[in-house]
Amino acid sequence: MSYVDEILEQVKAKNAHEPEFIQAVTEVLTSLRPAIERDEEKYRKEAILERIVEPERIVTFRVPWVDDKGQAQVNRGYRVQFNSAIGPYKGGLRLHPSVNQSILKFLGFEQVFKNSLTGLPIGGGKGGSDFDPKGKSDREIMAFCQSFMTELYKYIGKDTDVPAGDIGVGAREIGYLYGQYKRLTGLYEGVLTGKGLAYGGSLVRTEATGYGLLYITNEMLKSHGDTMEGKTIVVSGSGNVATYAIEKAYQLGGKPVTCCDSTGWIYDPEGIDVALLKEVKEVKRARLTEYAAARPSAQYHEGRGVWTIPCDIALPCATQNELNLDDAKTLVANGCKVVAEGANMPTTLEATEYLQANGILFLPGKASNAGGVATSALEMSQNSERLSWTREEVDAKLKDIMVNIYHNLDDTAKEYGVEGNYVVGANIAGFKKVVNAMLAQGIV
Ligand code: NDP
Ligand code: 2IT
């Protein structure tokens, strides 16, 4: 049996109850085959694959807090410290009732390769809790965040592990988490990214994932002799990534016509009104029915359905496995040409294969959503030198990073004889740097 197949079998047997983790490992290891085969004996002897699929450390802890009725509540907190070969663990915190070890291990695993692709010195990690922020008061959010940090602070630090936001964690939560870290440790340091501008945050971090997604998609179009001009764009999600993807899509000449949340979706043939979307989601923290009520051109539907709208470009920006094989077939049948992932692993394995087999230009999330964590690393640099860069400076660096990622993927795919396969390009390019660092550092 090949080394890759042997490790895939092991991962499936050892983590049988972790479907998302198995899915992420299957995608990565399968596409690493040509790189592994070039040096199989050495990798086997050094147990490179066994080590790369095993997190360096996972901590899980109890998070007790008191709700507004005086009732004590308990959630489960986690931090997965996956790989620190090329830098301190870096990756977001997710607060969502679906959070479990499988989801955080898949996210941490993806983060290792993504962070490597940014070219910046950051290892991979992820954390979070099964806490549901929906419908909670500000005081309840603060109580939860303070309790969560009271355990987490023991395991993180500006040079060891630097968390940030993800689903359910934005500026408000980062603020409460930072305040509690500072109170517990007495340290005013860049231990979290995505901070407010008044206390060490970086300009453009809020926008970075969505903007980066559009920068890399634009570069891919340019390399294929095309532009964003006049393209109809279908977006899922209505959170941080989706909102700023929509904003940048307009700036590049495209027309985003959909968005969604977990209860329903909007089709707005005149184009999504970004200012209204921000008002509904960032200020009021309301449902998309409020968007529809304020916008005569918008159609609101319950459930899921954005992928049924004919488009040139599809940008899944909500959550894992939100674009399945049926959706992929619908997109292709409707003439879609490009799928670029803003979320982490939003496309199922079967859907990805179908899209690629049908000539769709497909950008995997670990490359196309790397702008967020890249800008987090720029925030870490600014914190270290105790300076703040201008918006233009950060934005220019972000754009450069995304353009470089595209060409790294493209060149790597060509080098391995699979031109245009950006999944293989991303996985091999991300893997190479991490593995070189692991080999140099010995068996640790
Ligand atoms: P937000 O919490 O800001 O927004 C998430 C959006 O996705 C909301 O519209 C939410 O709807 C929807 N959503 C979440 N879970 C589900 C679900 N189970 N079913 C249907 N809809 C769902 O998160 P972000 O925008 O930050 O994150 C979106 C994706 O992007 C995630 O995959 C995340 O890992 C990834 N990502 C985020 C980065 C960042 O910098 N924030 C960086 C790179 C990737 P509702 O409000 O109804 O739950
Ligand atoms: O998935 C991701 O890359 C993020 N949620 C951002 C992580 C970060 O450290 O900025």
Side-chain angles (χ1 to χ4, degrees):
M1 201 188 282
S2 78
Y3 184 33
V4 164
D5 288 323
E6 195 181 307
I7 300 308
L8 269 176
E9 289 305 305
Q10 269 183 35
V11 167
K12 287 177 189 165
K14 268 190 167 177
N15 307 280
H17 302 293
E18 297 184 346
E20 294 85 1
F21 179 56
I22 290 173
Q23 182 183 341
V25 172
T26 303
E27 190 232 76
V28 171
L29 292 200
T30 309
S31 59
L32 288 181
R33 269 182 215 285
I36 299 292
E37 279 162 9
R38 285 190 183 180
D39 236 338
E40 181 155 329
E41 278 319 298
K42 181 167 84 189
Y43 291 144
R44 237 185 226 280
K45 182 150 183 291
E46 303 266 346
I48 278 294
L49 294 183
E50 288 87 335
R51 285 193 282 149
I52 216 159
V53 299
E54 194 64 34
E56 290 175 17
R57 187 176 303 102
I58 301 180
V59 287
T60 89
F61 46 91
R62 179 206 297 161
V63 188
W65 56 280
V66 178
D67 71 18
D68 284 347
K69 298 188 189 103
Q71 173 65 48
Q73 302 284 349
V74 179
N75 288 98
R76 186 173 290 173
Y78 301 85
R79 186 72 182 164
V80 179
Q81 299 183 326
F82 219 112
N83 192 306
S84 61
I86 64 169
Y89 310 106
K90 182 85 197 83
L93 296 171
R94 178 176 290 192
L95 298 182
H96 193 273
S98 64
V99 163
N100 58 33
Q101 185 167 296
S102 172
I103 288 179
L104 295 179
K105 277 175 68 181
F106 117 63
L107 289 163
F109 185 69
E110 287 284 293
Q111 201 81 44
V112 174
F113 300 89
K114 180 194 308 191
N115 293 4
S116 168
L117 286 172
T118 66
L120 300 167
I122 39 179
K126 201 85 188 189
S129 172
D130 58 1
F131 173 77
D132 186 358
K134 277 204 194 73
K136 302 289 191 297
S137 68
D138 272 359
R139 195 210 61 80
E140 289 175 321
I141 298 285
M142 182 168 73
F144 172 84
C145 288
Q146 290 180 341
S147 180
F148 184 82
M149 185 54 84
T150 300
E151 198 56 36
L152 185 69
Y153 89 96
K154 299 166 190 168
Y155 311 103
I156 63 175
K158 72 175 170 55
D159 296 314
T160 49
D161 184 353
V162 183
D166 193 79
I167 290 177
V169 176
R172 173 180 61 170
E173 292 73 22
I174 293 291
Y176 292 144
L177 291 164
Y178 190 76
Q180 185 72 354
Y181 179 86
K182 184 164 64 65
R183 185 186 193 195
L184 290 165
T185 62
L187 297 171
Y188 206 104
E189 61 175 27
V191 66
L192 296 168
T193 59
K195 299 185 292 299
L197 296 178
Y199 64 97
S202 173
L203 286 160
V204 193
R205 176 61 190 90
T206 304
E207 301 89 338
T209 310
Y211 279 19
L213 174 65
L214 271 291
Y215 289 148
I216 194 171
T217 306
N218 202 38
E219 185 65 16
M220 178 173 70
L221 288 172
K222 199 171 123 195
S223 296
H224 287 81
D226 204 348
T227 70
M228 194 73 71
E229 200 59 47
K231 296 283 188 294
T232 299
I233 304 175
V234 155
V235 179
S236 67
S238 52
N240 175 266
V241 180
T243 301
Y244 294 94
I246 289 169
E247 185 167 286
K248 185 55 75 177
Y250 279 120
Q251 292 171 16
L252 295 176
K255 187 180 185 191
V257 295
T258 66
C259 62
C260 71
D261 61 21
S262 54
T263 46
W265 59 286
I266 294 282
Y267 173 45
D268 193 338
E270 288 187 7
I272 296 293
D273 179 336
V274 196
L276 176 60
L277 184 64
K278 286 183 187 173
E279 174 68 20
V280 170
K281 285 293 173 185
E282 293 180 353
V283 182
K284 293 185 177 161
R285 298 180 188 277
R287 311 310 299 165
L288 284 173
T289 41
E290 292 218 11
Y291 177 98
R295 177 98 170 152
S297 58
Q299 303 165 20
Y300 176 81
H301 306 270
E302 291 284 321
R304 58 194 295 284
V306 293
W307 313 125
T308 62
I309 300 298
C311 66
D312 304 300
I313 299 175
L315 304 175
C317 297
T319 193
Q320 64 273 1
N321 293 328
E322 53 162 322
L323 198 166
N324 62 30
L325 182 58
D326 284 343
D327 302 322
K329 288 181 177 167
T330 307
L331 285 170
V332 169
N334 284 341
C336 175
K337 295 283 182 290
V338 170
V339 175
E341 297 184 325
N344 286 306
M345 205 170 76
T347 316
T348 64
L349 282 173
E350 305 73 47
T352 303
E353 280 162 17
Y354 184 85
L355 293 170
Q356 289 185 311
N358 284 275
I360 299 279
L361 296 175
F362 180 85
L363 280 174
K366 64 171 71 66
S368 44
N369 72 35
V373 75
T375 308
S376 277
L378 301 179
E379 183 173 330
M380 289 166 71
S381 298
Q382 294 168 75
N383 290 165
S384 294
E385 61 178 22
R386 301 203 185 283
L387 290 172
S388 298
W389 305 340
T390 62
R391 172 171 287 276
E392 291 68 30
E393 216 173 334
V394 181
D395 193 37
K397 284 186 163 58
L398 168 62
K399 199 180 294 174
D400 253 19
I401 290 168
M402 299 313 295
V403 166
N404 287 338
I405 292 177
Y406 172 72
H407 291 288
N408 190 5
L409 263 49
D410 194 38
D411 293 345
T412 307
K414 284 177 183 152
E415 185 190 333
Y416 284 86
V418 286
E419 183 169 353
N421 189 332
Y422 304 120
V423 174
V424 172
N427 287 327
I428 294 183
F431 173 76
K432 274 188 174 172
K433 181 180 177 189
V434 176
V435 161
N436 288 339
M438 288 174 74
L439 289 171
Q441 291 170 24
I443 310 297
V444 292

